[in-house]
Amino acid sequence: MLTETKITKKISEHKELIAALFSGLLIAIAWTFENHLSDALWVTLHLVAFVIGGYAKAKEGITETIRNKDLNVEMLMIFAAIGAAAIGYWTEGAILIFIFALSGALETYTMNKSNKEISSLMKLQPEEALRMNGDQKEMVTVSSLQIGDMIYVRAGERIPADGIISRGATSIDESAITGESIPVRKTENEEVFAGTVALDGSIYIEITKAANQTLFQKIIQMIQSAQDEKSPSQLFIEKFEGAYVKIVLIVVVLMMFIPHLLFDWTLQESIYRAMILLVVASPCALVASIMPATLSAISKSARAGVLFKGGVHIENMGHIHAIAFDKTGTLTKGKPEVTDFHVHPDHKQEDVLPIAMAMEQDSTHPLAYAIVTFGKQQQIGTSLQDIQVSTLTGNGISAVIEDETWEIGKPDYIGYEADFEDITKQLASEGKTIVYVKKGQQIVALFALKDTVRKDSIQAIKLLKQHGIHTVMLTGDHDLTAKAIAEEAGIDEYVANCLPHEKVEEIKKLKGKYQHVCMVGDGINDGPALATANIGIAMGEGTDVALETADVVLMKNNLSKITNAIHTSQKMNRVVKQNIFFSLAVIAILIASNFLQILDMPLGVIGHEGSTILVILNGLRLLK
């Protein structure tokens, strides 16, 4: 039963191709046994070939003509095939239908190939989940899960919804989301995503997003939107198609009589040449020049973790001359890290660091988290418990430990120490945040923290500059930090203390100078700038506002993927230009040959439809 289902599914997927091939088989039989078949049977075989091969395209052409109230290339091919048969060229008319059906099947294959990216993604998200109901577990549909529900995921199972781990720990295979093959260790209070796999531990997850709002679903929706949205080139061709078809039909009607009246052609010759013109002047190859290439490029980019929301964006990507980057979370990791730790000569690291960790371990402040993380990386533990920590609003924290007052905070509040003066100035000049640790009246240690530049950011900037693309950093941070980050990343120029509306103004200035400008960001404050730029790119870990506003999403948060996207766009634009030039050249040569009376119907059919197949195959190369 399963085998029959698979066979039925395969037949359904490839029905256009099967119909085209069967049509071709009937034509081959009629041609091979022409001398042994009665005229009625010979004509019947061709009629069946016409119907089977041309049904899909005829239905599409008639439906679109009625809906749009405008003629299209499919209708032109129907007229051409009927015209060829009407003057006795049954085989040529049938071959025309066969090759046109074959090219249509190839175009459908391109669409199906693109849709498989969505299908394979959708299969990765479970349809059911184990929801906790008190101490009991109940199997429910994923669509019925609500925010705040607790679900249980066993080791080896796919996570059905986005959420936060409330209990347990496991290694997570996030390749479906990020493309990274190395599992990530996740513990309590860390975020997990639908479609990823809990490898070696069972976990309890508190749902944080509705089933239709998960990161996974957003990926699917963005790919679907990208397939539906057409590029400027495609829209132009579609507008051109309607007018072109009318002109061809008018010229064909005129050619049926004018050459007979003016050039002493026989009426039969005039009608014959008019039918050939109807075949060779059809813009099939021109119409097929863009969409297969665009869909192939979108699919290829999606596999690489770059999601385009439409053909217009992938076409424009190759024209970018300048790129503006947000700093925090885009060029940098978005989280401060301890880069330097200095202890006073009178004290030891193993004495100071455990106390600093103990004081900061319950704080949610990013700097506190960075200090605790640094201590763990140094394999420093702390046995201090139940410390009463007081918050020094906006300045730091304090605690009494073994009758000694300890403080951690800003130098401006804690005070300065001569032994740390030089190192403090040096680290501050590098754009780092300084935090002092004070015991009693003496400063005993110094932490320097910084939002560090992503490793891939430096490589990405280098590659972009090699391609002649101007790079700019727009940040709300102060000048000292902005300068340090820009120099480390290799950015051409930077603008510091930049508020959201000022980012928009900077983007407008760049557009005035470079015409085609891209903005890359991840935060709510980047939304206006992302919308203003010719191309807005959001980091996959960015806010919902950034993801919704952007034209492109980097799912792997890897800026070097921008260069890949530009390459794909430029290659797609080259392929489209090749296809358009080739298809127009073929049409011109065939029309000229027909007027010179050196082209017959069979060669006209093969030349015209062969060019259509070639441009579709050329577009499919982008899938590699």
Side-chain angles (χ1 to χ4, degrees):
M1 185 66 185
L2 184 62
T3 305
E4 289 180 9
T5 304
K6 285 183 178 179
I7 293 172
T8 304
K9 187 178 178 182
K10 283 289 182 185
I11 291 173
S12 178
E13 283 180 3
H14 301 290
K15 60 185 178 184
E16 276 191 55
L17 179 61
I18 293 169
L21 294 176
F22 187 61
S23 171
L25 177 63
L26 291 175
I27 296 166
I29 291 171
W31 180 75
T32 304
F33 299 102
E34 182 177 1
N35 297 326
H36 304 283
L37 299 173
S38 65
D39 289 346
L41 182 57
W42 187 82
V43 170
T44 301
L45 283 172
H46 283 89
L47 280 172
V48 175
F50 267 68
V51 173
I52 292 175
Y55 174 76
K57 283 296 180 183
K59 181 182 177 183
E60 181 184 335
I62 293 168
T63 303
E64 288 191 6
T65 297
I66 294 170
R67 184 172 64 243
N68 301 328
K69 296 181 175 60
D70 200 4
L71 291 169
N72 51 52
V73 69
E74 284 80 10
M75 293 303 298
L76 203 57
M77 294 314 300
I78 293 168
F79 296 150
I82 293 171
I87 60 173
Y89 287 87
W90 284 93
T91 302
E92 286 77 4
I95 290 173
L96 177 63
I97 290 294
F98 162 66
I99 301 180
F100 191 54
L102 191 61
S103 67
L106 275 174
E107 197 163 352
T108 301
Y109 168 80
T110 309
M111 180 68 79
N112 290 340
K113 189 80 174 174
S114 183
N115 286 338
K116 280 182 179 178
E117 300 297 331
I118 298 175
S119 300
S120 59
L121 279 174
M122 292 179 76
K123 289 176 183 176
L124 294 179
Q125 184 163 6
E127 295 181 359
E128 295 182 320
L130 274 175
R131 183 170 62 189
M132 300 302 299
N133 185 5
D135 294 330
Q136 303 298 314
K137 301 182 182 74
E138 56 178 352
M139 188 67 74
V140 298
T141 60
V142 171
S143 59
S144 68
L145 292 175
Q146 302 291 322
I147 294 174
D149 282 352
M150 188 71 67
I151 61 172
Y152 176 69
V153 178
R154 291 180 288 249
E157 291 183 340
R158 284 197 181 275
I159 295 169
D162 289 6
I164 301 289
I165 298 176
S166 63
R167 186 160 28 120
T170 184
S171 294
I172 303 281
D173 177 0
E174 294 188 326
S175 58
I177 298 291
T178 66
E180 299 297 332
S181 58
I182 300 174
V184 180
R185 190 70 181 171
K186 294 287 182 83
T187 57
E188 292 181 10
N189 298 319
E190 291 192 279
E191 191 173 15
V192 292
F193 303 105
T196 59
V197 183
L199 296 175
D200 55 9
S202 298
I203 51 176
Y204 292 85
I205 302 170
E206 182 182 346
I207 304 300
T208 57
K209 290 182 182 176
N212 62 348
Q213 294 295 317
T214 64
L215 179 60
F216 211 73
Q217 285 298 318
K218 286 183 179 179
I219 294 172
I220 293 170
Q221 289 162 11
M222 280 187 277
I223 297 175
Q224 288 173 328
S225 298
Q227 291 179 332
D228 294 336
E229 190 172 329
K230 296 171 182 176
S231 68
S233 301
Q234 182 68 25
L235 291 171
F236 171 77
I237 291 293
E238 289 183 1
K239 288 180 182 177
F240 168 79
E241 180 187 338
Y244 182 86
V245 168
K246 293 186 184 77
I247 291 169
V248 168
L249 289 174
I250 292 169
V251 173
V252 166
V253 172
L254 293 174
M255 192 172 177
M256 291 173 71
F257 305 105
I258 290 178
H260 170 64
L261 298 173
L262 299 181
F263 305 122
D264 295 326
W265 290 13
T266 65
L267 183 59
Q268 183 181 0
E269 179 72 7
S270 285
I271 294 173
Y272 177 65
R273 291 294 161 191
M275 291 303 101
I276 294 177
L277 177 65
L278 186 58
V279 172
V280 302
S282 299
C284 303
L286 188 61
V287 171
S289 294
I290 299 169
M291 185 56 76
T294 302
L295 290 175
S296 297
I298 287 172
S299 296
K300 179 183 177 182
S301 297
R303 287 202 304 269
V306 182
L307 302 184
F308 284 92
K309 293 185 180 179
V312 60
H313 309 306
I314 197 165
E315 183 175 311
N316 290 338
M317 192 74 188
H319 304 310
I320 293 300
H321 296 138
I323 297 185
F325 296 90
D326 169 51
K327 178 182 77 69
T328 306
T330 302
L331 288 172
T332 67
K333 295 178 181 179
K335 298 175 182 177
E337 295 180 359
V338 174
T339 58
D340 303 87
F341 179 56
H342 297 276
V343 181
H344 192 280
D346 296 339
H347 296 267
K348 296 179 181 179
Q349 174 176 307
E350 56 267 28
D351 294 331
V352 176
L353 193 50
I355 291 175
M357 288 175 64
M359 292 174 65
E360 299 281 19
Q361 63 186 357
D362 293 327
S363 174
T364 58
H365 194 285
L367 296 183
Y369 180 79
I371 290 171
V372 173
T373 301
F374 173 74
K376 290 178 179 178
Q377 290 170 348
Q378 303 301 310
Q379 298 183 336
I380 299 291
T382 177
S383 58
L384 296 171
Q385 302 292 331
D386 300 323
I387 299 174
Q388 297 299 314
V389 178
S390 301
T391 301
L392 309 171
T393 306
N395 294 306
I397 58 175
S398 69
V400 177
I401 302 172
E402 296 179 354
D403 298 325
E404 194 78 59
T405 300
W406 287 75
E407 293 176 313
I408 301 177
K410 298 178 179 179
D412 291 343
Y413 177 79
I414 300 296
Y416 287 88
E417 172 75 42
D419 291 327
F420 289 109
E421 187 174 351
D422 292 339
I423 192 66
T424 297
K425 289 180 180 178
Q426 179 188 329
L427 295 172
S429 69
E430 296 171 5
K432 297 176 181 178
T433 300
I434 307 301
V435 174
Y436 280 163
V437 181
K438 187 176 183 180
K439 179 184 179 183
Q441 298 302 312
Q442 183 185 24
I443 295 171
V444 297
L446 170 156
F447 288 99
L449 302 97
K450 186 180 180 182
D451 184 7
T452 56
V453 175
R454 296 173 186 266
K455 290 181 181 178
D456 60 272
S457 297
I458 298 172
Q459 180 64 16
I461 300 301
K462 184 178 179 181
L463 290 172
L464 290 170
K465 290 169 75 172
Q466 287 175 357
H467 285 79
I469 296 174
H470 185 74
T471 57
V472 183
M473 183 179 75
L474 305 178
T475 177
D477 215 333
H478 57 79
D479 189 81
L480 201 60
T481 300
K483 182 180 179 182
I485 295 293
E487 289 177 352
E488 187 177 349
I491 295 284
D492 290 321
E493 65 173 294
Y494 68 91
V495 181
N497 301 306
C498 207
L499 297 174
H501 69 277
E502 291 172 328
K503 286 186 178 183
V504 171
E505 293 304 316
E506 292 297 330
I507 292 294
K508 288 179 179 178
K509 289 178 185 176
L510 288 171
K511 287 173 75 174
K513 186 175 181 180
Y514 295 98
Q515 284 76 53
H516 296 280
V517 176
C518 174
M519 171 69 191
V520 188
D522 72 319
I524 294 173
N525 62 326
D526 298 318
L530 289 169
T532 304
N534 300 95
I535 295 283
I537 301 180
M539 306 295 279
E541 291 178 352
T543 62
D544 289 346
V545 171
L547 292 171
E548 292 296 329
T549 307
D551 308 307
V552 185
V553 178
L554 298 179
M555 290 312 303
K556 298 180 182 179
N557 297 294
N558 188 336
L559 291 178
S560 61
K561 294 294 180 182
I562 295 176
T563 312
N564 296 343
I566 291 172
H567 282 163
T568 300
S569 171
Q570 291 174 340
K571 187 175 181 181
M572 185 199 80
N573 290 336
R574 283 197 302 271
V575 167
V576 167
K577 286 177 183 176
Q578 291 167 5
N579 286 348
I580 291 173
F581 177 81
F582 175 72
S583 58
L584 288 174
V586 169
I587 289 172
I589 291 169
L590 292 176
I591 289 175
S593 300
N594 183 42
F595 274 108
L596 294 172
Q597 297 178 287
I598 59 176
L599 183 74
D600 58 14
M601 180 69 80
L603 281 177
V605 169
I606 292 169
H608 176 264
E609 292 304 319
S611 66
T612 304
I613 291 174
L614 286 175
V615 298
I616 292 174
L617 291 175
N618 195 34
L620 286 173
R621 288 192 302 118
L622 290 166
L623 285 170
K624 294 181 179 178

